Amino acid sequence: MQRFKILAGATLILLVLLGLTTNIFTPNSAPDSLATLTTAKLEKPVVDKQQVHAYKMQQQALQLAIKAYFDKAIASGDIVGAGVSIVQGDSILISSGFGKKNINRMDRVNGETIFRLGSLSKGFAGVLAANLKDEGILNWEDKVSDFIPEFQLGDQNNTHKITLANILSHTSGTPYHSYTNLVEAGLPLVAIAERFSDVMPNALPGSMYSYQNAMFALCGEMMYKVTGQEIGTALAERILNPLGMCSTLTDYESLAKAPNVAKPHVKSRNGYRTSKLTDNYYNAIAAGGINSSAGDMAKWMRFLLGHNPEIMSKTALEETFNPFIEIKGSSKYYHRWPGHLKSYYAFGWRIHTYLDEDSKEEKTIWHHGGSVNNFRNEIALYPDADLGICVLLNSHSRLAQTVIPELHQIVQEVFGSSNATMAHNSKTNTTASL
């Protein structure tokens, strides 16, 4: 990762030199909070102009470093296009696109370009469940069989022990990826629920992590029973619409009609070729049927970090991220992230602990990856630093395995690794996007 350190450091030095001789910032790049400070009539807090100027320099340095990073990945053939968002506190630092929506055309990815999210959808489902729990109409310990009478896994005694918490944390006792083929075949959730009577559980509920799509998706049926709404509608009314996430879609028809959508790509010996958008997983929205853009994912991350308490309290949100089961092993790509200590699964989210290289303190990452229809995505939030990073790709790429720690390093190099510094900056500055 030394090449990224050099890049960010060189960029920052260049900007400092330029800043001494000319104003490189346009009026539109000034943080919204500055306008508030200058027009406030009752209270006029003291603004450190040097600090504000330095922060603006850092924003520009970050934008240039991120652009250089993705330009290099595109030039080397690692990716076709990417939607990228980075948030710090209540500030959206970057919400932009790089590369092409379609390798055969000139249309460029931008902050509003829609990608299929795949398993990043699970994080939305977990948060919606927490929202309904906070509302008092759903509970983590609610039994799946009480909501879906057709469901059975093992004998009746075992079946009645399986809870919402178990299916959201992949601890229901089903073998790895049971009936994912039925999800991809488009069967209704209730029909899939009935098929589990033919599956032999391999563990007691709550005792072992085993990743699922079909079982996880049953949470959508449970939420339907308590709201009377399909999960996409409930999600839109309670969270997406209040956040202004206008390009986040939960059905294939809307995706197919949307004017700004990235095409999926497959890599071959002769380079990339486009593939078709498919309609799989829209019968299992909670597991992989949500679509979104970099701009909307920035709003989503800012919300997850607790900056929209009028929509959902930070306390209620954080229940989603409470580790439920440890993920054993050391073979996954995130096990190789710098300082990695342990990984857990919460409710639709992986929770990693790592040793921070600078502070030597143990810190936390809320993370998930997603893959569907030849899209490949990563999202990670660093709650200790009030920081979020999301990358959406319209092709499979090895870059997905390292993009989170590499972008995190760039952010640290530009803004400094001190949580206190980053937190202070986020309170005095707002949006600056490419």
Side-chain angles (χ1 to χ4, degrees):
M1 294 187 190
Q2 182 64 28
R3 62 185 183 279
F4 303 111
K5 182 179 293 187
I6 294 171
L7 172 63
T11 302
L12 186 55
I13 292 171
L14 174 62
L15 286 171
V16 170
L17 293 173
L18 288 172
L20 293 174
T21 58
T22 184
N23 179 13
I24 65 174
F25 302 102
T26 65
N28 290 334
S29 70
D32 295 339
S33 58
L34 291 182
T36 302
L37 289 171
T38 56
T39 59
K41 295 181 179 179
L42 298 179
E43 295 183 7
K44 294 184 179 181
V46 176
V47 177
D48 187 330
K49 292 183 179 181
Q50 288 186 338
Q51 187 178 61
V52 171
H53 179 69
Y55 186 71
K56 288 163 64 177
M57 300 282 279
Q58 289 171 318
Q59 289 175 325
Q60 290 284 339
L62 179 64
Q63 291 168 1
L64 290 175
I66 296 299
K67 183 179 185 301
Y69 177 93
F70 283 99
D71 284 350
K72 180 178 180 180
I74 293 165
S76 65
D78 289 341
I79 63 173
V80 177
V84 182
S85 44
I86 300 177
V87 303
Q88 179 192 326
D90 61 358
S91 304
I92 297 175
L93 300 180
I94 288 178
S95 169
S96 190
F98 305 93
K100 293 183 177 182
K101 294 189 289 185
N102 184 328
I103 192 71
N104 301 315
R105 299 182 181 179
M106 296 305 296
D107 293 347
R108 310 288 294 181
V109 176
N110 59 33
E112 289 72 50
T113 303
I114 300 171
F115 293 71
R116 293 198 63 183
L117 296 186
S119 286
L120 268 61
S121 305
K122 292 181 172 71
F124 286 81
V127 168
L128 179 59
N131 180 266
L132 297 177
K133 178 185 180 295
D134 189 48
E135 193 175 317
I137 61 175
L138 197 62
N139 197 285
W140 304 125
E141 299 309 314
D142 284 342
K143 307 294 190 295
V144 177
S145 57
D146 287 343
F147 292 78
I148 311 174
E150 301 87 350
F151 172 74
Q152 184 174 334
L153 178 64
D155 60 25
Q156 289 297 316
N157 182 53
N158 186 78
T159 298
H160 292 319
K161 291 179 180 177
I162 300 173
T163 66
L164 175 63
N166 294 140
I167 62 175
L168 288 174
S169 62
H170 305 292
T171 60
S172 61
T174 45
Y176 179 71
H177 268 302
S178 295
Y179 287 149
T180 290
N181 61 318
L182 299 184
V183 172
E184 295 180 347
L187 267 67
L189 286 182
V190 173
I192 294 174
E194 293 177 352
R195 298 286 191 94
F196 276 103
S197 61
D198 298 328
V199 174
M200 181 65 66
N202 61 1
L204 294 173
S207 65
M208 188 178 78
Y209 169 83
S210 181
Y211 193 80
Q212 301 292 311
N213 282 322
M215 183 66 77
F216 187 98
L218 297 184
C219 72
E221 192 67 18
M222 296 179 70
M223 288 188 266
Y224 170 75
K225 293 295 178 67
V226 299
T227 63
Q229 298 175 315
E230 297 293 339
I231 185 173
T233 302
L235 188 63
E237 289 191 2
R238 286 171 167 78
I239 299 173
L240 304 182
N241 292 345
L243 287 173
M245 295 176 64
C246 302
S247 61
T248 300
L249 313 172
T250 58
D251 65 284
Y252 174 74
E253 290 75 17
S254 297
L255 178 69
K257 295 176 182 177
N260 189 357
V261 179
K263 290 283 287 185
H265 293 78
V266 177
K267 193 172 188 178
S268 63
R269 291 182 179 179
N270 298 321
Y272 286 100
R273 60 178 176 82
T274 60
S275 60
K276 293 182 179 180
L277 287 169
T278 65
D279 62 357
N280 60 333
Y281 280 92
Y282 294 105
N283 60 325
I285 292 170
I290 299 179
N291 322 284
S292 193
S293 64
D296 273 13
M297 293 305 286
K299 296 174 184 177
W300 173 240
M301 291 190 293
R302 187 168 59 185
F303 163 72
L304 293 175
L305 289 167
H307 297 285
N308 295 98
E310 74 283 3
I311 297 174
M312 190 169 172
S313 73
K314 195 168 185 178
T315 300
L317 267 170
E318 288 180 346
E319 286 201 40
T320 314
F321 306 107
N322 287 331
F324 191 85
I325 186 79
E326 185 175 354
I327 304 173
K328 302 287 187 180
S330 58
S331 61
K332 300 296 185 181
Y333 64 95
Y334 47 77
H335 290 142
R336 297 188 291 275
W337 287 1
H340 177 272
L341 298 173
K342 287 186 176 181
S343 292
Y344 305 85
Y345 207 91
F347 297 145
W349 292 89
R350 303 185 194 281
I351 312 299
H352 309 302
T353 59
Y354 71 102
L355 189 66
D356 183 77
E357 182 179 352
D358 295 313
S359 68
K360 306 304 179 184
E361 296 176 353
E362 183 176 313
K363 296 184 179 179
T364 301
I365 306 173
W366 304 335
H367 162 252
H368 218 288
S371 176
V372 68
N373 193 184
N374 293 311
F375 290 87
R376 180 69 175 86
N377 315 298
E378 288 285 315
I379 186 171
L381 298 109
Y382 295 75
D384 301 302
D386 211 8
L387 175 72
I389 300 171
C390 182
V391 178
L392 310 176
L393 303 173
N394 58 348
S395 65
H396 284 285
S397 172
R398 291 184 180 180
L399 184 78
Q401 299 182 12
T402 58
V403 68
I404 292 297
E406 288 175 350
L407 294 193
H408 181 241
Q409 183 187 4
I410 291 175
V411 172
Q412 286 185 310
E413 288 297 317
V414 173
F415 283 94
S417 60
S418 167
N419 290 341
T421 299
M422 296 182 72
H424 177 80
N425 287 340
S426 69
K427 289 178 182 178
T428 57
N429 298 274
T430 53
T431 305
S433 60
L434 284 170

